[in-house]
Amino acid sequence: MPLQNFQYKGSQLHCEGVPLRAIASTAGTPVYVYSSRAIRDNYRAYRNSLAGVPHEIHYSVKANSSLAVLALLASEGAGFDIVSGGELYKVLRAGGAPAKVVYSGVGKTRDEIKYALEERIATFHCESLQELDVLKHLAREMGLAPTVGLRVNPNIDAKTHPYIATGLSEHKFGIALHEAESIYRDAKEWAPLQFTSLSCHIGSQVFDTHVFGEALRQMLGLATRLGDAGVAIRTIDLGGGLGVGYEADQPSVSIRSYGRMLSEVLRGTGCCLGLEPGRSIIGQAGTLLTQVLYRKLAPKKTFVVVDGAMNDLIRPALYRAHHEIVPVSRSDGPRTECDVVGPVCESGDFFATGRSLPPCAAGDLLAVATAGAYGFVQSSNYNSRPRAAEVLVEGDRFRIVRNRETREDLVRGETL
Ligand code: LLP
């Protein structure tokens, strides 16, 4: 099962020491459930595998920005990779240190840049000349000298889903290598900005780690040329992107061997390595728990209609992403082929199609696996459905860390 620290004890699926059935009866469904031990273990695997080289790990907040998750990672000493003022606000509310925040994104607004400057974040990863110009003027007005790393587009094919590949010249992200190089060479003209960092991110859900090695070598080559030209690069941030298994027997890429490979490439260069992992920290640490409402026998198919929907987890509809689905109460009965669908009024509202599932009937609980990353964060109120609750498990205990939205929440901020 592509989940960490979720296992059957007897017939019941548990997260760490807690039966998921108990969580569903307290928090209701649909509900996201996360294992704090899995999140911690993954973060520590990064830290330990990079112990031999100077490094900074910035958890990518976009993967899962729940305050409790951010607070857990902050308490481990993690830094944060943000892409909006909203994410910065959440990091600060969770107790994250602004001095460990890096800020990426092609469309930072003036207000967002100002907010990040006021909070004295660590580094701006800039993606265009115009953005640099806004940052320079604001920094001058405020009497600050922020650290900048241009996000370089290395034109590397990450071989992943086209929506989440970002490192090719045709993508909106980053600045072409040759253009970035000439901006760095003119660094003095951009005073007070401090060009001591370099960044790139080639895509997400990447399994071929060689492409990361190639990107790192490219960045190191650029850093050396810049050093020769008098621009000292201290940090190379390689972004996130490590893939995790979603299929039943698909292994994740080992964080440990990835870290070791990068350490080998980096050793002796004197550079500090920045990483921005998201999915590989929390993807397999979370499930979406949903209850079967109806079992509908249609002329051509059997539909298992559940109370979770595409507004709760949009990945299957958006990317045709595969998520394993397992029963919370294990059953050895005969399997049948069915579509697992939600109540939203779209045929694209499915969690699985043509999936062979053990017997399940109205009232049964199902766990949609590998939903910790890009699950809740991409949820919406489509069809005026209140968003799900979230639960964090720690050993034998669990806490509701986000209440289920109410109907009143659906109209908050609206006027007649
Ligand atoms: N850094 C930057 C600049 C990024 O754009 C991303 C992801 C990350 C780090 C984190 O990448 P990760 O380690 O999580 O792969 N919604 C999609 C994923 C979009 C990823 C966007 N950028 C999904 O559900 O698969």
Side-chain angles (χ1 to χ4, degrees), residues 60 62 81 164 201 204 240-241 276 278-279 315 319 374 378:
S60 193
K62 65 178 82 63
D81 157 50
I164 55 177
H201 170 80
S204 193
E276 301 169 356
R279 194 190 312 263
R315 300 194 73 260
Y319 315 111
Y374 307 107
Q378 296 195 114

Side-chain angles (χ1 to χ4, degrees), residues 249-302:
D249 42 18
Q250 179 191 16
S252 296
V253 186
S254 146
I255 295 175
R256 209 156 293 137
S257 59
Y258 174 56
R260 273 196 235 112
M261 183 272 285
L262 295 179
S263 306
E264 290 302 308
V265 180
L266 198 79
R267 209 177 304 280
T269 63
C271 265
C272 173
L273 177 69
L275 288 181
E276 301 169 356
R279 194 190 312 263
S280 50
I281 299 272
I282 189 150
Q284 290 199 347
T287 187
L288 174 64
L289 207 55
T290 186
Q291 187 170 39
V292 178
L293 297 174
Y294 306 107
R295 189 181 177 90
K296 179 171 164 176
L297 303 176
K300 293 200 168 156
K301 282 185 163 183
T302 298

Side-chain angles (χ1 to χ4, degrees), residues 92-152:
L92 300 178
R93 283 290 297 261
K100 290 185 181 177
V101 168
V102 299
Y103 188 178
S104 316
V106 290
K108 306 177 187 80
T109 66
R110 221 185 121 80
D111 264 7
E112 287 178 314
I113 294 176
K114 188 157 180 274
Y115 174 40
L117 281 169
E118 281 163 1
E119 295 297 342
R120 311 284 196 270
I121 66 158
T123 306
F124 289 82
H125 290 161
C126 291
E127 306 208 20
S128 66
L129 277 174
Q130 290 87 340
E131 181 194 338
L132 273 178
D133 209 46
V134 173
L135 180 61
K136 180 182 79 179
H137 282 102
L138 281 169
R140 279 185 188 164
E141 272 168 44
M142 296 167 75
L144 297 172
T147 298
V148 171
L150 297 187
R151 174 161 170 191
V152 176

